[in-house]
Amino acid sequence: MAYQGYEAVVTYDEDAELFHGEVMNLRDVITFQGRSVAELKKAFAESVTDYLAFCQARGEEPEKPYSGQFVVRVEPALHKSVVTAAKRAGLSLNKWVAATLERASG
C-alpha cells in the first residue's frame, strides 16, 4: 500500500479477523488497522496524515522513507577495486555506484 510517498506492509491476524499495517523504512513508527480493505485504506491515510500533522505541530520535519543515502560496508579490497573502476570511468565514486546500481536493478 502507498499513500503520499509512504509505503506500508500489511499482515492479517486470522484469529482477530483484523488487518495490521505498518509504514516501512522509517525509524518513526506509523501503524494502522482495519477489518476490511476499505477500512484499512482509510486508517492508513489517517495515520500518515496524523503523523504529518504531529510533526508539523512539533516543528519537526517528517521522516521520509528514502533519503537517497545509504551506507554500504565492504572489504577494503573491494573498496579499492570500485574506487579504481570509478576513476577509470572518469566518475566520482558516488556516481559510479549509482550508475552501477541503476543498471543492476533494471
Side-chain angles (χ1 to χ4, degrees):
M1 297 179 69
Y3 179 76
Q4 291 191 6
Y6 293 88
E7 294 184 34
V9 63
V10 176
T11 58
Y12 181 68
D13 182 336
E14 192 171 341
D15 294 332
E17 296 182 347
L18 190 67
F19 293 101
H20 296 277
E22 182 172 353
V23 174
M24 301 182 301
N25 304 313
L26 298 178
R27 286 184 304 273
D28 294 335
V29 178
I30 304 173
T31 61
F32 53 96
Q33 61 186 27
R35 295 204 177 273
S36 68
V37 173
E39 198 176 294
L40 187 69
K41 286 181 176 181
K42 182 179 181 204
F44 178 32
E46 288 173 352
S47 290
V48 169
T49 300
D50 289 348
Y51 169 70
L52 296 174
F54 175 77
C55 290
Q56 185 176 19
R58 292 183 58 149
E60 298 174 355
E61 282 294 314
E63 191 177 348
K64 299 291 183 195
Y66 300 99
S67 67
Q69 299 178 17
F70 65 97
V71 176
V72 178
R73 299 195 191 290
V74 296
E75 293 296 320
L78 179 57
H79 189 176
K80 178 183 177 185
S81 178
V82 296
V83 167
T84 301
K87 284 184 181 181
R88 277 193 214 122
L91 298 171
S92 69
L93 180 57
N94 269 353
K95 287 185 179 184
W96 185 88
V97 169
T100 302
L101 290 173
E102 189 171 350
R103 279 194 308 274
S105 66

